[in-house]
Amino acid sequence: MDNRPIGVFDSGVGGLTVVRELRRILPQENIVYFGDTGRVPYGTRSRSTITRYTQQDIAFLESRDVKMIVIACGTASSVISKELGAKIKVPYTGVILPAAQAACSLTQKGVIGVIGTTATIRSGAYGKSIRSINSACKVIGRDCPLFVPLVENGLIEPQNPITRLTAQMYLEPLMQEGIDTLILGCTHYPLLYDLINDVIGYSAVLIDPGKETAHFVQNFLTTNNLLREEESPAVCQYFVSDSADQFTATASKFLGADLGGNVQQIEIEAIQGA
Ligand code: DGL
């Protein structure tokens, strides 16, 4: 057993969709979350900037004595190379491999769609991961930059005309390619789950990387005998790089519940990345 917390980070508040899944299936685990709200978004930035930010985020979580790191951000996950991964001092996972494994086991035709930020799609990380599992799979990527601001502005109702039109524009080309599985490769997209299902007429199975990653963490901790075994209720601690109040105000949208812990602002630029 290991009573240390799980460390989770994201470019901002979106990674709370992953915390939501972790808390659902691992309610006894303590969580330390870092949201880089002062430097969000990552998805529009260059690979080198995203890598630098990601290294600082990881170094911050390492300094909090976590037993595992979960890179909840699709964009940050997409820049984790073998070299960068080798520098991380504790076991870690991004969201890409767990989602790719789920997509490969669920696709019937081997045609998988991936949507994400511009940086995630540009990285080709999902394609590489999927083809390393099944080289016969065809992967069609599409960046959907308007989804993040739409979600952050609360336009997530399945009948919202603006978000529906946007989704049609992004998703119709993928449907024309005959995808039967669609990875929602950005923290914000699970909030559009019902809308996307409706727009594509349930023609593809939707994969929520947050859910798949939470299961991956559960398996990892169980297999390696690292689950927390204390009887006291789990504690969540949140750190952000911009206003704590602003984070608290939007958090429940992504978490679907109360934060259940304190929020503290830190100076992420002062952290020396790995
Ligand atoms: N968290 C990011 C992701 O999952 C979306 C927001 C951003 O661009 O930073 O890719």
Side-chain angles (χ1 to χ4, degrees):
M1 71 174 199
D2 190 331
N3 291 328
R4 290 177 299 165
I6 301 172
V8 182
F9 79 89
D10 176 48
S11 56
V13 76
L16 293 176
T17 56
V18 182
V19 173
R20 181 182 65 193
E21 297 304 327
L22 284 170
R23 290 206 328 196
R24 200 169 57 78
I25 64 168
L26 291 168
Q28 78 283 11
E29 293 296 328
N30 292 333
I31 293 177
V32 171
Y33 180 90
F34 173 63
D36 198 0
T37 50
R39 303 188 296 192
V40 70
Y42 284 13
T44 52
R45 298 186 192 274
S46 69
R47 189 177 180 102
S48 62
T49 300
I50 299 163
T51 303
R52 184 168 69 80
Y53 289 176
T54 298
Q55 286 179 297
Q56 285 178 316
D57 302 344
I58 289 169
F60 171 69
L61 288 179
E62 285 172 344
S63 77
R64 305 299 307 182
D65 193 25
V66 296
K67 62 181 167 187
M68 182 175 191
I69 290 178
V70 179
I71 306 167
C73 179
T75 306
S77 299
S78 79
V79 302
I80 300 289
S81 59
K82 267 209 186 91
E83 297 70 42
L84 214 154
K87 291 187 193 160
I88 304 177
K89 298 187 182 87
V90 291
Y92 72 93
T93 180
V95 288
I96 293 180
L97 183 63
Q101 283 169 337
C104 288
S105 68
L106 288 170
T107 183
Q108 302 279 319
K109 297 193 287 181
V111 189
I112 299 171
V114 181
I115 53 175
T117 64
T118 301
T120 298
I121 299 305
R122 188 185 57 211
S123 75
Y126 268 106
K128 278 181 221 144
S129 191
I130 290 167
R131 281 188 294 273
S132 74
I133 300 165
N134 182 350
S135 58
C137 280
K138 185 173 169 196
V139 182
I140 300 139
R142 171 84 216 225
D143 61 335
C144 305
L146 294 175
F147 277 168
V148 167
L150 286 169
V151 170
E152 289 193 349
N153 282 284
L155 308 182
I156 59 172
E157 289 309 315
Q159 296 313 319
N160 184 284
I162 301 166
T163 313
R164 283 185 78 87
L165 205 60
T166 309
Q168 277 158 13
M169 172 181 78
Y170 288 143
L171 301 175
E172 255 159 29
L174 296 183
M175 289 191 294
Q176 277 163 19
E177 296 272 357
I179 60 160
D180 69 354
T181 308
L182 177 62
I183 297 176
L184 309 180
C186 167
T187 46
H188 289 54
Y189 301 176
L191 276 86
L192 298 175
Y193 196 93
D194 292 341
L195 185 145
I196 290 173
N197 248 337
D198 205 46
V199 164
I200 65 171
Y202 294 83
S203 60
V205 178
L206 303 188
I207 309 275
D208 174 349
K211 268 201 179 117
E212 303 306 330
T213 302
H215 284 291
F216 184 95
V217 172
Q218 185 183 40
N219 282 340
F220 181 85
L221 296 181
T222 308
T223 314
N224 292 284
N225 201 21
L226 292 172
L227 288 167
R228 174 174 179 259
E229 278 182 359
E230 274 178 13
E231 305 268 296
S232 56
V235 177
C236 293
Q237 270 184 299
Y238 301 89
F239 296 90
V240 289
S241 50
D242 195 32
S243 149
D245 289 346
Q246 182 113 15
F247 178 82
T248 307
T250 40
S252 63
K253 249 196 278 179
F254 291 86
L255 205 50
D258 278 353
L259 282 171
N262 293 332
V263 188
Q264 202 178 310
Q265 188 170 346
I266 59 148
E267 272 297 330
I268 191 68
E269 283 288 0
I271 307 276
Q272 203 65 41

